Amino acid sequence: MTAIGTGREPFWRAVLAGRSGTRSLADSPAHRGFRSRVGAPVPEPTDEDCRIRAKEAALLDPLTRMALAASALAIDDAGLSAVATGDRRNSYEIPEIDRTRFGVVLGTGIGGLSTVEASHARHARGEKLRGAMRYALPMLIPNAVPAQIAIKYRLGGECKVVGTACAAGTMAIGDAFRLIRDGELDAVLAGGADRLLSTNDGYAFMGFDLLSTMSSRNDDPERACRPFDRDRDGFVLGDGAAMLVLEQEDHARARGARVWARILGYGTTCDAHSMMQLEPSGDAIVRCMERAIRSAGIATTDTVSYTHLRAHETERL
């Protein structure tokens, strides 16, 4: 779920075509008066995209709905069946994988920010939180996102959120890799989702704008995001969700799954340096890469190519 396309094929075609999803936010009331007025919003998914009913949608933060839509895409792409259980909760089962060994690990920076803004605004005006807003707390907490995915598909394995800011989605996939590697689970719906731009009051946008971390190339939105340009002036805030089905290899091949990629290793570190700046020596980054290389069972002196990986895969088969 991205600003340049929803679904694997539309997204990849847009990448190859060099499309930009960044546009001007100058006409948005929530983004007026800021130094930066460009962003990359994602269109709201339909209830059908999320496999929810209108009554359910009212009880879910927009972030959760976006993550549900991305999860539905991942399940379909993995060749798994989403079979309706027929109960009143509008839930599904995935018969190809033991539900007790199928988990959810999702990364998000903040959680249901839209619900935080909407519920606080009503409270500040002295209004009672009636109807769907009575559920504001379970709607806004970050773990609501993976929990709602687990509830929708009755997944009984480990279910958790990873809240490590910009690294959350990648670390969620890393944690899922470890769960499968260690034999805890057979499969995990893993990935990341954030909806920081398309909120009621633009609070997250304001926070980044105050830190002067975003591009202010407001007169040329499509070229505002240019991280490798010597004239870069900041990043562009956008919404997005990406989920994948990570599965134990033998299990995936036994059911004839289409395999897009294999994870060989994973490593992570912390530089323990500053709230906003990287430790200047880069030592923690080096250690992180070294850990990932060791986890993959290769050495820094190895020349690893696509041909090498294909040969390794043939040996395993």
Side-chain angles (χ1 to χ4, degrees):
M1 302 283 295
T2 78
I4 61 172
T6 292
R8 179 177 49 79
E9 284 294 340
F11 168 74
W12 187 238
R13 285 197 300 268
V15 170
L16 296 179
R19 269 187 57 201
S20 171
T22 306
R23 64 175 178 81
S24 173
L25 302 176
D27 295 332
S28 170
H31 302 98
R32 289 176 184 164
F34 294 139
R35 171 180 167 273
S36 175
R37 293 186 299 281
V38 295
V42 172
E44 182 77 19
T46 67
D47 292 352
E48 185 179 359
D49 293 335
C50 305
R51 293 190 174 123
I52 59 176
R53 298 167 181 161
K55 187 176 181 180
E56 291 178 85
L59 299 176
L60 301 175
D61 186 86
L63 168 65
T64 302
R65 296 199 293 267
M66 192 166 65
L68 279 168
S71 296
L73 289 169
I75 288 169
D76 291 346
D77 187 70
L80 297 171
S81 307
V83 181
T85 61
D87 65 13
R88 63 183 180 83
R89 293 184 302 171
N90 187 33
S91 63
Y92 295 80
E93 291 181 338
I94 299 174
E96 294 90 346
I97 300 175
D98 179 352
R99 61 177 293 270
T100 66
R101 295 186 58 79
F102 200 157
V104 186
V105 183
L106 182 138
T108 186
I110 295 180
L113 190 56
S114 292
T115 298
V116 173
E117 293 179 347
S119 59
H120 181 265
R122 293 190 186 188
H123 175 70
R125 291 194 298 265
E127 301 175 12
K128 291 185 177 180
L129 299 183
R130 296 189 174 93
M133 279 288 97
R134 290 183 301 153
Y135 297 91
L137 182 61
M139 287 169 67
L140 65 87
I141 58 175
N143 202 61
V145 190
Q148 288 294 342
I149 295 170
I151 291 168
K152 176 60 61 178
Y153 296 102
R154 302 189 71 247
L155 306 181
E158 184 167 319
C159 176
K160 67 180 179 184
V161 70
V162 178
T164 49
C166 300
T170 302
M171 293 186 74
I173 293 173
D175 279 6
F177 162 72
R178 288 170 172 169
L179 286 168
I180 294 173
R181 179 199 62 188
D182 295 345
E184 296 291 328
L185 298 174
D186 293 327
V188 182
L189 259 172
D194 262 309
R195 197 172 180 89
L196 304 180
L197 181 63
S198 303
T199 55
N200 299 295
D201 301 327
Y203 185 77
F205 195 93
M206 176 190 71
F208 285 115
D209 194 72
L210 288 171
L211 295 171
S212 299
T213 57
M214 296 189 298
S215 172
S216 59
R217 196 169 187 170
N218 302 317
D219 58 340
D220 191 6
E222 292 192 359
R223 291 167 54 84
C225 184
R226 51 195 197 287
F228 305 110
D229 193 303
R230 65 181 176 182
D231 295 324
R232 63 190 181 277
D233 66 336
F235 71 89
V236 172
L237 189 65
D239 300 324
M243 299 295 289
L244 58 83
V245 175
L246 191 62
E247 194 172 351
Q248 198 275 335
E249 184 175 1
D250 293 340
H251 192 282
R253 294 197 181 282
R255 67 177 185 85
R258 178 176 51 190
V259 179
W260 290 112
R262 296 172 64 243
I263 297 180
L264 298 182
Y266 171 66
T268 182
T269 57
C270 175
D271 65 12
H273 176 67
S274 164
M275 182 186 293
M276 294 297 297
Q277 296 178 336
L278 292 174
E279 194 278 318
S281 74
D283 175 69
I285 297 172
V286 173
R287 287 189 291 110
C288 183
M289 290 189 286
E290 288 174 341
R291 287 186 179 188
I293 289 168
R294 286 197 300 271
S295 174
I298 57 178
T300 55
T301 54
D302 289 343
T303 301
V304 181
S305 64
Y306 176 75
T307 304
H308 171 89
L309 297 179
R310 289 294 296 173
H312 177 69
E313 182 175 308
T314 302
E315 288 171 9
R316 290 177 61 87
L317 292 174

